[in-house]
Amino acid sequence: MDEPIERDDAYRHSGVPGAGSGSPETGTGDSAVRSRRVRRRKRSMWEDRRVRAMGIGALVLVILYLLTVISALYMGLLTPTAPRTVAERDVMAWESATRAEDATIEHWQSYILALIADSQYQRARTMIEQVDANGALDQSRGANMLYCTGVLYTAQGRYDEALDAFTEVMELTRAAYEEELQRGDAEGPNWAMAFGIHDNYYFSATSKAAIYREQSRWAEGIEMLDVYLEDNPQAAGILVDRAYLKTQMGDLEGAEADYREALRYVPDFEEAREGLQEIGAGE
Amino acid sequence: MAGSTYDEFGIELPDREEQEYVSKRGRRILTALIVILIIILLITTFLLTQLIRPAGIPSQEDLGGVTWVRSIYGYGPDISQMTEPASVAVDPDEGALWVSDQIRFRLVKYDGSGRFLQEFSGDSGDGDTFNFPSSITVAPDGWLYVAESTYDTVRVYDENLTLQQTIAIPAPLSVAANNEMAVIGAEAGFAAYSRDGELIGVIGTRGRDEDQFDKVNGVALDEDSNAYIVDSFNNRISKYDAEGFRVWMVETGPPGNQAMGEPVTAEQLEEYAEQYPAFMQVPMGATLDGAGRLVVIDLLDFSIAAFDTEDGSFLGKWGEYGREDGKFAYPADIDYDAEYDWFVVADSGNSRAQIIRLPDSGESPLAAARRLLSGPLRACCFPLVVLLIILVLWVIMRHRNRNRETASIEAQDVESGAGPT
């Protein structure tokens, strides 16, 4: 890039003999001005040593950075071939399960939940759409992809949409169960009689409870945990969760009962013991 | 040419005036350019880091004081590459680790960053491969000891994996070795062998008395050949000196086999916690760390306890149960790598080997540097070497040009008659 010579001061401060006070040759006023006019020419900024040094420095920086990226690629850091965390292993395991010919909707659900746990939200969304479009996979019992959508929304912090999805899962799974049960009375044994309501019903209840807890909606949270405990009364972890919500509601008596019930099933349940201490009921 | 001068990059400058030219605009442009460049590089680095970094890395608070370094689930795209590893051993020369993948009758070697190095089936030419390798250790000089409880043998390989000897011992459960001897734990006690496989001595019978043992699932050996014996079902740990005399013994909990039958009540748990400071359930593998502590892993308490080797006093306990990385499910063995100041754990229930750190285990700046370079930052090694070379070349050229410039000024001075006579 060319530019006119800088103002006098640059020349004056350059240390060249005679600069600023006259011609370098003679040191007299008029001839100095003439001389400067003669010498005035377009000069490139690269003639400045510091500019050159800065330019080379920037170039070195870029080259080193590119070398680092190439090095990372060569070492396989950007493309790991083996799982590094349990979330990555789960993704790999369930992905291979879905590739099998006898892959079921449960395999797909596990795969999508593993993707969500590994923060691969976009891929999870794509898989949900792919499964929804696949009519061969039966979702009538568990509303599986709707449940996955609820989990995905929860992971993304879209709580209201997640609550709607979980509510719908609970309604659909219960309706499917009751319908099958009635049919069983007429036609004989079926899945509803053998296995009961689909697990996604209970998972949705606890997922809703977790969101309510996050939003400090204690009473609604307790209501959802009641749903779970009604059919799984020995779930010590859920009892402790409900005790916590009851504590927040001020129902210390109810909380103590839940903590003690949890300890009946798991005597060294640390959270239950700590909970009792917190509400002043510890020994 | 006598009047020529050169800049620090060796470019010839026509004269002094040219050299002193200042372009304010150029400097402004270059400064802005460099700032923008650095911002772009920082943003790209952040994005690349996010790409490399796996999701859901646990924090130390969630792991009961354990610092998770990395998990190893196997190698390649097949997810079933490691199933319930029984034992782990650090290879001191290479910062590598061996994992006993006993269900597949093989040992697998990984480097400190979790990369697969090699697989070893034990075959030394005669087709005789491992059969459930239950415990392994590597001596400081690289000799590999492999105990097979189903074969009643311990195979010893040199650093080139050539079979040196086979020691016959009933149901060997654990093994530790230094360069002079090996100690092998079994159901009814332990035995010491010299480097050439000669039996030095046997201690113990099966039972609950003081000098009796009920499954020695962990042994550790220090430089002075003191042996630390972990008696799993009697729930106690002892130290024996090189002569075979017991130095101390500590009870770490109620004997394991007593717990069979009635479930333990909450009251009993509290009593045990008071009676036994370490309160272990089934102590298993053991090792010595850089701070000289005896570190023992607990199969059913899913934790790691540390003891003073002088008197066996309890120093601390870390770890939590869980599937998450950094937590344990039925951990069977532990070993310590002094080079990196980290521990390797056979996390059997989670079918993985884990590399973790514990507080106060003997930190050194060198170990910290090695750890740093065992992670993604190792990608910076090659560019750093290049940068170093550039800097050295720059310093050399600058020095050379200064000398040249000084010589040319002196020559000019001599020509003008101003120089020294």
Side-chain angles (χ1 to χ4, degrees), chain A residues 256 260 273 275-283:
Chain A
E256 184 181 347
R260 293 204 183 282
R273 287 172 174 277
L276 281 175
Q277 295 283 352
E278 276 170 25
I279 61 173
E283 287 158 14

Side-chain angles (χ1 to χ4, degrees), chain B residues 19 26 32 46 55 102 106 136 141 154 185 192 229 246 252-253 258 272 282 302 311 313 339 345 355 382 385 393 416:
Chain B
Q19 194 178 328
F46 174 75
Q102 62 169 349
R106 66 179 184 182
I136 53 174
D141 61 358
V154 174
I229 308 298
R246 194 175 68 208
T252 47
Q258 279 185 356
Y272 292 153
V282 182
F302 318 113
D311 56 7
S313 55
E339 299 252 309
V345 174
I355 297 178
F382 178 56
V385 170
L393 286 176
S416 62

